[in-house]
């Protein structure tokens, strides 16, 4: 069975936070198919309730899966947003993060998505990172064990966080490495013309 990655979308999310991991996982799957192997990843785009969502800047995504109908996923990815206060104040969204994370082997955030993980109680006593501009706010929110600067991602086992925007691409390549090995992650990065290192500090 392929690894099922669910990217949870909501109004105001940053497009590259979702689109970067989406492209990484689909590219990794395509490379495996090119080798005559089964694709390792299935990517699902979902929203609470299944409605359309509008990304920051106005792009609207349609025909999305209703996350309420998803019992479990292997990997949950939560993108960030410019309007953090609105997102963390959305009780339905936070409840969805909580529920899906309980059944996921790995829950990951991109950029300010870390604030949603924190509000969902996933970062208590855990190290985490986010966009460099928001590190102090994350540290002062009282819902994070410690904040790590100058890294592209932090891997705490079942919960992972990444820095701003394109760091989500680096995090997704790390997820590929964890699931299918570093060789496939390196090949995927090359296919994307991406300079990637398995070292999160590079």
């Amino acid at each position: 069975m392929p690894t099922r990655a669910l990217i949870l979308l909501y109004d105001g999310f940053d497009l590259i936070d979702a689109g970067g991991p989406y492209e990484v996982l689909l590219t990794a799957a395509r490379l495996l198919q090119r080798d005559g192997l089964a694709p390792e990843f299935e990517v699902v785009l979902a929203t609470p309730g299944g409605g359309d969502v509008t990304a920051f800047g106005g792009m609207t995504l349609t025909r999305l899966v209703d996350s309420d109908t998803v019992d479990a996923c292997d990997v949950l990815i939560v993108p960030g947003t410019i309007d953090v206060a609105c997102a963390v104040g959305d009780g339905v969204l936070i409840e969805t993060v909580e529920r899906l994370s309980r059944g996921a082997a790995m829950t990951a955030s991109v950029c300010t998505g870390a604030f949603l993980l924190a509000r969902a109680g996933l970062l208590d006593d855990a190290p985490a990172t986010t966009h460099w501009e928001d590190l102090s706010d994350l540290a002062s929110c009282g819902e994070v064990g410690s904040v790590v600067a100058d890294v592209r991602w932090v891997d705490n086992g079942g919960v992972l966080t990444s820095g701003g925007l394109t760091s989500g691409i680096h995090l997704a390549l790390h997820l590929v490495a964890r699931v299918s090995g570093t060789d496939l992650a390196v090949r995927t990065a090359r296919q994307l013309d991406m300079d990637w290192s398995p070292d999160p500090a590079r």
Side-chain angles (χ1 to χ4, degrees), residues 28-158:
R30 181 163 55 89
L31 290 176
L32 289 172
Q33 287 180 299
R34 182 184 291 178
D35 294 341
L37 303 172
E40 181 66 44
F41 299 95
E42 172 194 0
V43 185
V44 177
L45 299 177
T47 64
D52 298 352
V53 291
T54 301
F56 175 75
M59 181 180 288
T60 298
L61 279 71
T62 65
R63 300 178 63 186
L64 304 169
V65 171
D66 182 352
S67 61
D68 297 343
T69 67
V70 177
D71 292 329
C73 58
D74 300 299
V75 180
L76 171 64
I77 299 175
V78 181
T81 178
I82 300 297
D83 194 346
V84 174
C86 181
V88 298
D90 184 337
V92 172
L93 177 60
I94 299 303
E95 181 181 333
T96 302
V97 173
E98 291 175 345
R99 180 180 64 80
L100 291 173
S101 68
R102 286 195 294 269
M106 291 181 279
T107 297
S109 66
V110 180
C111 195
T112 55
F115 287 88
L116 279 72
L117 267 55
R119 181 56 55 91
L122 301 177
L123 299 181
D124 294 346
D125 303 318
T129 195
T130 187
H131 191 284
W132 60 267
E133 283 188 332
D134 301 291
L135 289 169
S136 60
D137 287 342
L138 186 64
S140 63
C141 77
E143 299 169 317
V144 180
S146 61
V147 171
V148 183
D150 300 322
V151 293
R152 293 192 184 276
W153 72 84
V154 172
D155 185 338
N156 193 41

Side-chain angles (χ1 to χ4, degrees), residues 118-201:
R119 181 56 55 91
L122 301 177
L123 299 181
D124 294 346
D125 303 318
T129 195
T130 187
H131 191 284
W132 60 267
E133 283 188 332
D134 301 291
L135 289 169
S136 60
D137 287 342
L138 186 64
S140 63
C141 77
E143 299 169 317
V144 180
S146 61
V147 171
V148 183
D150 300 322
V151 293
R152 293 192 184 276
W153 72 84
V154 172
D155 185 338
N156 193 41
V159 179
L160 304 90
T161 53
S162 73
L165 301 163
T166 58
S167 288
I169 299 174
H170 294 265
L171 170 67
L173 287 163
H174 174 67
L175 291 173
V176 171
R178 277 192 55 172
V179 172
S180 298
T182 302
D183 286 349
L184 180 60
V186 170
R187 287 181 60 203
T188 302
R190 174 58 178 156
Q191 187 69 25
L192 295 170
D193 210 1
M194 183 82 182
D195 185 12
W196 178 76
S197 168
D199 180 354

